[in-house]
């Protein structure tokens, strides 16, 4: 084997190394630029009323589900319908019946990169179930719910019930955050949970009133109605908090800030870099840029490759 067998790969290797150094610089810079995170929109929803009821019929051995919702919106969205009717096969000959009527029934959900929020308002409302066309299951003066989630802050949930409440024709006094049972002989039972509020580090949910219904109408071919009804529900999820100038996201609302090293002389390990942080000074004022080291490295590799090729050529002629 002669010497040329080794020299050709050496020259090619030097050329490839130089090209790789020049190509790696821009690619590395592009990756560092995309590492700076930006905030994402949060999520929010609002619902004035939602039912999950099973309706048993007198002349059939089956249950007919009643699953309906009024003003159910997700961000961005809003609705202001004040009445809800439904139809069920086998109930009153399939005629439409009133589920809810109200003077005010509003739901609104918004979401931006800074805050997401769901809100509901229900005023002077009357709720009916199949088989009880004249007797309201519940009547409320006003209920509201709000769920607010701001980026980097603890979410907030709030539900309120204002004014009197009537259940199966009886006026009742509800306990905030508690459960109230109302029984009417020959009609049935309703259990009410008032002002349910839940929060986590990034989510919130507020429900003004939740009813567990179990009634025996015995009218309009309805034997029994059983299930749940939710009034004035709002939820939200916080937007992703944007990274700070060093590329690190700020501390969560429910977590203490990270402790700092008390020794100012201590230096970080050489191979540790903050995500998205600048690792080189800005050379714009001197006419250079952060790509300069890569260009210099590529140029040096090209010079070395050319010099090596010249030496090898002279030896060959000698």
């Amino acid at each position: 084997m002669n010497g040329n067998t080794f020299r050709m790969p050496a020259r090619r290797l030097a050329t490839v190394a130089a090209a790789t150094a020049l190509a790696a610089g821009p690619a590395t810079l592009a990756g560092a630029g995309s590492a700076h995170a930006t905030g994402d929109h949060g999520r929010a929803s609002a619902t004035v009323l939602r039912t999950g009821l099973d309706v048993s019929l007198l002349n059939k051995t089956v249950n007919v589900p009643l699953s309906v919702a009024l003003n159910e919106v997700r961000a961005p969205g809003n609705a202001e319908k004040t009445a809800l009717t439904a139809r069920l096969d086998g109930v009153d000959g399939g005629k439409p019946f009133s589920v809810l009527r109200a003077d005010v029934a509003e739901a609104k959900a918004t979401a931006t990169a800074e805050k997401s929020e769901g809100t509901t308002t229900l005023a002077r409302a009357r709720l009916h179930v199949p088989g009880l066309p004249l007797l309201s299951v519940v009547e409320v003066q006003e209920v509201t719910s709000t769920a607010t989630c701001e980026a980097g802050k603890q979410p907030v949930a709030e539900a309120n019930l204002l004014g009197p409440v009537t259940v199966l024709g009886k006026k009742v006094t509800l306990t905030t955050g508690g459960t109230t049972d109302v029984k009417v002989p020959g009609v049935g039972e309703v259990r009410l949970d008032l002002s349910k509020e839940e929060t986590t580090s990034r989510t919130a949910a507020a429900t003004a009133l939740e009813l567990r219904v179990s009634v025996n109408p015995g009218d309009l071919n309805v034997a029994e109605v059983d299930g749940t009804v939710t009034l004035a529900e709002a939820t939200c999820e916080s937007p992703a908090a944007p990274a700070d100038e060093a590329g690190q996201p700020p501390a969560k609302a429910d977590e203490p800030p990270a402790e700092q090293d008390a020794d100012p002389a201590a230096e970080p390990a050489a191979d540790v870099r903050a995500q998205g942080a600048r690792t080189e000074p800005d050379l714009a004022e001197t006419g250079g840029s952060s790509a300069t080291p890569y260009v210099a490295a590529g140029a040096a590799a090209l010079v070395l490759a050319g010099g090596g090729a010249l030496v090898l050529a002279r030896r060959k002629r000698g």
Side-chain angles (χ1 to χ4, degrees):
M1 298 177 67
N2 57 36
N4 289 337
T5 305
F6 297 95
R7 292 170 185 166
M8 291 299 293
R11 289 197 294 268
R12 291 174 182 169
L13 181 60
T15 303
V16 170
T20 302
L22 290 172
T28 304
L29 291 176
S34 62
H36 186 74
T38 58
D40 294 329
H41 283 50
R43 297 178 178 85
S45 67
T47 308
V48 166
L49 174 140
R50 181 186 296 110
T51 68
L53 300 170
D54 285 330
V55 181
S56 299
L57 305 183
L58 285 172
N59 60 352
K60 296 182 179 180
T61 58
V62 296
N63 291 336
V64 181
L66 176 61
S67 299
V68 293
L70 177 66
N71 294 350
E72 184 173 33
V73 297
R74 298 184 183 276
N78 59 77
E80 297 181 357
K81 293 181 180 179
T82 58
L84 175 65
T85 60
R87 296 173 183 265
L88 287 179
D89 292 338
V91 177
D92 196 19
K95 297 178 182 179
F97 58 88
S98 172
V99 179
L100 181 79
R101 292 189 180 278
D103 290 352
V104 178
E106 300 175 344
K108 185 177 181 181
T110 60
T112 66
E114 292 78 30
K115 182 176 73 173
S116 60
E117 185 174 59
T119 61
T120 61
T121 300
L122 180 63
R124 293 175 292 280
R126 299 162 296 282
L127 173 70
H128 293 268
V129 296
L132 291 176
L134 301 179
L135 182 63
S136 299
V137 173
V138 64
E139 296 181 16
V140 296
Q141 183 68 23
E142 183 177 1
V143 291
T144 64
S145 63
T146 303
T148 305
C149 298
E150 294 188 54
K153 295 184 179 180
Q154 177 66 32
V156 178
E158 183 178 8
N160 295 297
L161 187 148
L162 306 173
V165 176
T166 302
V167 179
L168 297 177
K170 298 173 61 176
K171 287 188 177 181
V172 298
T173 300
L174 302 180
T175 302
T176 302
T179 300
T180 301
D181 288 323
V182 179
K183 298 181 180 180
V184 176
V187 178
E189 178 181 357
V190 176
R191 171 173 291 185
L192 302 93
D193 288 322
L194 174 65
S195 301
K196 297 178 63 177
E197 302 165 352
E198 299 178 356
T199 60
T200 68
S201 61
R202 288 195 61 190
T203 64
T207 301
L209 197 61
E210 187 171 82
L211 294 77
R212 177 71 189 185
V213 179
S214 180
V215 296
N216 304 282
D219 194 11
L220 303 181
N221 195 36
V222 176
E224 185 177 356
V225 179
D226 186 81
T228 60
V229 177
T230 302
L231 293 176
E233 180 184 58
T235 69
C236 67
E237 181 179 346
S238 298
D244 60 18
E245 293 181 358
Q248 296 291 342
K252 293 182 179 179
D254 57 349
E255 296 180 358
E259 295 183 359
Q260 300 294 326
D261 194 340
D263 184 4
E267 296 182 359
D271 58 344
V272 176
R273 296 287 185 272
Q275 183 178 0
R278 298 181 64 89
T279 58
E280 300 170 10
D282 190 352
L283 303 180
E285 294 182 1
T286 63
S289 70
S290 54
T292 301
Y294 299 102
V295 176
L302 287 174
V303 171
L304 291 175
L310 181 60
V311 171
L312 292 174
R314 288 180 177 177
R315 288 181 179 178
K316 181 177 178 181
R317 288 197 298 271

